[in-house]
Each structure stands twice: as C-alpha cells, then as structure tokens.
Amino acid sequence: MSAAIAAQGQSLSRSLSLGLAIQAFAILGLVCALVYVATSLTLSDRQDATLVEKKAMVRHLLAKTSANADKPALEHMLKDFLIGHEEMGLVLKLADGRFLSAGMQPEPDYRQAKRLEFVVSGEGFGTGPSAATLYMDTASDAELLRRLAWILGVCALAGAVIVSAGSSWMVRQAMAPLHGLVQQLRHLRADRLDMRLDGSLQPEELQPVIAQFNELLDRLDRAYRQLEAFNADVAHELNTPLSVLIGSCQLGLQRTRSIDELREILARNLEDLDRMAGIVRDMLFLAKADQGGRIRQGAAVSLRQIALEVVDFHDAALQEAGVQVVVIGDAQIVLDTGLMRRALSNLLSNATRYAEGGSSIYIRIETAGSDEWAVAVENQGPVISAAELRRIFERFYRADHARSRSDVNHGLGLAIVDAIASMHGGRTFAYSDAGRTQVGMYLPQAHRALEQIHTGSPS
C-alpha cells in the first residue's frame, strides 16, 4: 500500500500545508525566542540598575548618619529605607565588627538572588570603612519569564497550526480549477482528438502547460489523420491490382485455354504482382526510415558521378519522353551511395513524367549556405500550386487526383526521397514558378554528415 502511494506521488496540498506550517513554526519560534531573550536581558539590566541605584542611596543615607547613632537607630533607619522593596535586603559589616541587616536575607545556596557588595564610610560606623551587601530576590522576574516562555511557545504552535490550516484551504481553492481540467482530459478519446483543453479558468502558471498539451493534441490529430489516410491509400493501391488479378484468374478459368493464352495471362498477372511487391518494398523502407534507420558509412563520393549513373539508367525513359538531362556542378559528400542513387532516380523519374517534350531536365549540385549542398532536379512543365507543393512529399499523394498512370506511379517516390534526405541529416524542398519546377534535397557538407553518421541523430 505504501509503495502504491509512493508511486502516485505526494499530495501537493499536504506537502504545501506541511511545508508552510514548518516554515511558520520556525519563523514564529525564532521571533518568540528573540522576544524571550530581549525580555530577559531587559529584566536583568533593570535589576542591575536598581541595585546600583540603591547602592548610591545607601551610601548617601549612611554618609549623613550621626556619629552617635546606636545600632537600633541604624537598623530602624535601614528598615525605613527598604519599605516598599520587599524583594531587597541589606547587610552592613561595621568597622568594629558589628553586623546590621534589614530586608530579605537569602540563603547561601539560593540562586534566584542578585547581590552587590561595596564599601561605605561614615562617622557612625567607627574609625574605618564598612562593607555593605545589597540583595535582590529575582524570583518574581524568573516567574515572569517562565510564563512568558509558555505564552510564546503556545502562540508559536497556534500560529503554525493556523497558518497550516489557512494554507491548506488556500491550496485547495487554488487547485479547484484543476478538477475541471481533469474532467476535460477524461473526455479525450482517440476519436475526439479534435477537442482542445479550455484554459480560460486555469491559473496563469498552468497556461504554458495547457498550450503545450494542445499543441501535442494538434500533432497527434494530424498524425492520426495521416495514418487514416495512409491506411486508405494502402488499401486503394493494393485493391486495384488484387481486383485485376482476381478478374484475370476468373477469366482464365472460364474455359479451356491454350498454353500461349495461359502464358499471356500469367505474364499480365506477374506485372501486377511486381507492382504490389514494389509498393510493399517501398512501405517497408519508409517504415524502417521512420524507426530511425541509419545510412551505411562510407567515404566521400562525387554526387555528379552518381547523377550521371542515374541518368544512364533512365536513358530509355528519357528518350521515350523526348527530353535530355544536363548535370551541373559537383560535390564530395559522405553519404550512402545506394540510397542517394535511389533518391536521385525518384527525382529524375518524377521530373521526366511531367517535363514537356523536347525540353531539358537540369540536375543542379551547388552550395546552399555555409554548411549545406543543394541537389535539385529541375524540369519545364506545368506549374504546381503552393498548396500541392506542401504535400508532394506525403505518402501516396499525387498531384494528379485522377491517379492516371497509377500502374507506374503509386505516390511513394518523393516520400522516399524525403526519408532518404532525413536519414542523411538533410531536408527536402520544392519550388514551382514560371513553368519550371525544382524538387531536391539540402544535404549537410562532409564534416557535418560524418558527425551525424557517428551519432545517428540528424540535427
């Protein structure tokens, strides 16, 4: 049970109440201690001042004593002097050895008494100086201090309890809006990710948390919608070839066919199976990239050389489209040659598809800033709107909504380019204006790419 409570964390209300109570008790205790010490010192100073004052009065009184004064007269004079001061006493030791006393006479071991010894002289005390001792009983002041200590201690405890209760009430009042926030969180479900937390009644300190949580909900909502769209696209892309395969098989089984006819049917089915296998391979690659797949380490290679190899591979398609390719620039970059060849192949294939016949496609390799290279494939053709440019790297997105030529283009090519750029620590870009469209990647220069390969975390 205790482990379960510890796992849930301490109550904020109880923690704040206890902390404030301890703090209040410490402060009040310190204040009370200072009051007690100040009072004690004041009483002690007052006692000392009283003794000094009485000492002066005794000397003045005895100095005026007549030389013929006898002992009873002296004792009577001293008792009159101490009237109204029951806490005080006086003992005189005369020069002739006689003792005179008046007022209280404490026992030798009595600790709650102050004494002041001094020498007096006078004609009534014989030929030499006499010794005098003044006593003061401090029991009443000690009792006053004891009562004061009790009162201050009780006040400190009561103050701590009051502060604790008050702080507990204030914390509960301050935490009350959180209950409304909890109720809002309880209504969040996977199918209600469009809901957002209302922080209008929440304290200012919670506003950043609510704002961050709402931003998180925004990202989750977008990711969930993309996942739903992805599932729909996958189902659509696989459904078409599967339907064709089923129809082809049913048609082939309707009657007896010759070997050549069956071979033709199997050949068509194999094309659809190849296309389905290609979609699955691309999806597996994107899934691997999403899981943090790393590029293979290697030495710096020439991007121009890779581009020329890709152009050579697409030679037949380029001739069929009636376009030519010009490679401009070069860069030595540490990268995964196979992945970069695949990315450039996808970019070139996409540019060839939309390039106007007789035009030229440019593969530009140039610096972009102080620490990046830009690799862009540019073609002349229809302008892509800004809204579509923002989505062309999404999976299964095609600007051609009628999905024409879906047999050769299933909408994953540029998504794979984006994944390869990210795996190299770079990013993709796309521009389209004045009849020219440029799609490419920003790649970090060699030293930065090496760091990312070693750490495995693109910046």
Side-chain angles (χ1 to χ4, degrees):
M1 183 67 180
S2 58
I5 294 176
Q8 293 176 355
Q10 294 183 348
S11 167
L12 182 60
S13 176
R14 286 197 297 271
S15 299
L16 288 175
S17 301
L18 180 62
L20 289 174
I22 293 174
Q23 186 177 12
F25 181 74
I27 294 174
L28 290 175
L30 179 61
V31 172
C32 292
L34 292 176
V35 170
Y36 179 85
V37 171
T39 304
S40 177
L41 292 176
T42 301
L43 290 176
S44 179
D45 291 343
R46 191 185 68 177
Q47 293 162 2
D48 294 339
T50 301
L51 286 173
V52 171
E53 179 184 356
K54 294 301 180 184
K55 168 188 169 183
M57 293 178 67
V58 167
R59 280 182 167 174
H60 178 71
L61 181 65
L62 295 179
K64 297 188 301 181
T65 303
S66 170
N68 298 324
D70 56 7
K71 181 177 179 182
L74 286 172
E75 288 180 343
H76 181 73
M77 180 188 65
L78 294 177
K79 289 179 180 177
D80 289 344
F81 169 71
L82 295 175
I83 289 176
H85 298 280
E86 289 77 11
E87 77 280 7
M88 299 195 70
L90 175 63
V91 175
L92 287 176
K93 182 180 180 182
L94 303 179
D96 56 3
R98 293 180 299 162
F99 283 91
L100 296 176
S101 63
M104 59 90 66
Q105 303 298 317
E107 298 295 332
D109 57 347
Y110 187 64
R111 296 183 177 180
Q112 293 183 343
K114 279 191 172 183
R115 63 188 63 198
L116 178 62
E117 297 178 351
F118 55 97
V119 177
V120 295
S121 59
E123 294 181 357
F125 309 129
T127 56
S130 301
T133 304
L134 270 172
Y135 295 97
M136 173 177 281
D137 188 357
T138 61
S140 60
D141 289 344
E143 178 63 17
L144 175 63
L145 288 174
R146 189 180 67 81
R147 291 181 180 179
L148 180 62
W150 273 103
I151 292 173
L152 292 176
V154 171
C155 288
L157 285 174
V161 171
I162 292 173
V163 170
S164 176
S167 60
S168 178
W169 180 82
M170 292 176 65
V171 169
R172 285 198 298 273
Q173 292 298 315
M175 300 286 283
L178 289 179
H179 297 302
L181 198 62
V182 172
Q183 292 299 325
Q184 293 184 51
L185 290 172
R186 285 176 178 168
H187 288 87
L188 290 176
R189 300 192 304 270
D191 58 342
R192 297 295 307 275
L193 290 178
D194 57 329
M195 292 182 60
R196 297 296 178 267
L197 297 182
D198 180 9
S200 57
L201 300 179
Q202 302 303 322
E204 180 181 354
E205 289 77 5
L206 286 180
Q207 294 301 325
V209 177
I210 295 172
Q212 290 297 321
F213 191 84
N214 283 336
E215 289 184 9
L216 174 62
L217 289 177
D218 288 340
R219 293 194 292 272
L220 286 176
D221 189 24
R222 286 195 298 271
Y224 191 76
R225 292 179 186 278
Q226 288 175 354
L227 180 61
E228 289 182 328
F230 179 76
N231 291 336
D233 287 335
V234 169
H236 176 84
E237 295 297 331
L238 294 180
N239 180 64
T240 301
L242 281 174
S243 298
V244 172
L245 281 172
I246 293 172
S248 177
C249 291
Q250 290 175 341
L251 183 63
L253 293 174
Q254 283 181 353
R255 60 181 176 84
T256 303
R257 296 181 182 275
S258 65
I259 296 298
D260 292 338
E261 289 176 327
L262 290 175
R263 185 172 296 166
E264 182 180 354
I265 292 173
L266 290 176
R268 290 199 301 268
N269 291 350
L270 183 60
E271 291 179 359
D272 290 328
L273 288 172
D274 283 341
R275 179 169 176 268
M276 293 173 61
I279 294 174
V280 172
R281 283 195 299 271
D282 289 344
M283 291 172 59
L284 289 175
F285 175 80
L286 291 172
K288 183 180 178 182
D290 289 342
Q291 294 171 359
R294 299 182 180 183
I295 65 174
R296 289 174 295 182
Q297 296 186 33
V301 297
S302 168
L303 261 179
R304 179 182 179 85
Q305 182 59 38
I306 296 176
L308 291 174
E309 293 173 2
V310 171
V311 172
D312 185 62
F313 179 78
H314 285 264
D315 183 61
L318 293 170
Q319 290 187 13
E320 182 181 355
V323 295
Q324 60 179 352
V325 178
V326 179
V327 180
I328 302 174
D330 191 11
Q332 298 289 325
I333 303 180
V334 175
L335 44 74
D336 187 314
T337 305
L339 291 181
M340 188 52 57
R341 189 179 291 113
R342 185 176 185 180
L344 286 177
S345 178
N346 288 355
L347 289 173
L348 183 58
S349 176
N350 184 74
T352 304
R353 189 176 308 121
Y354 297 103
E356 294 179 354
S359 64
S360 296
I361 296 175
Y362 297 94
I363 299 179
R364 301 183 185 276
I365 305 170
E366 54 193 8
T367 58
S370 59
D371 58 353
E372 285 185 321
W373 290 103
V375 184
V377 178
E378 178 182 315
N379 69 276
Q380 181 178 341
V383 175
I384 304 175
S385 68
E388 290 178 328
L389 280 177
R390 286 194 293 269
R391 300 190 59 190
I392 61 173
F393 294 105
E394 294 180 7
R395 296 168 189 183
F396 293 113
Y397 179 78
R398 280 173 292 200
D400 182 2
H401 300 288
R403 295 179 183 268
S404 61
R405 302 189 65 186
S406 60
D407 54 334
V408 295
N409 173 31
H410 47 262
L412 291 176
L414 293 183
I416 290 175
V417 173
D418 187 63
I420 292 175
S422 297
M423 293 171 72
H424 283 82
R427 63 191 191 283
T428 50
F429 63 87
Y431 306 103
S432 185
D433 188 27
R436 303 200 71 81
T437 299
Q438 194 178 75
V439 183
M441 302 173 286
Y442 290 120
L443 298 174
Q445 291 187 4
H447 67 282
R448 185 180 168 202
L450 279 172
E451 291 175 358
Q452 288 167 349
I453 290 171
H454 292 158
T455 59
S457 57
S459 59

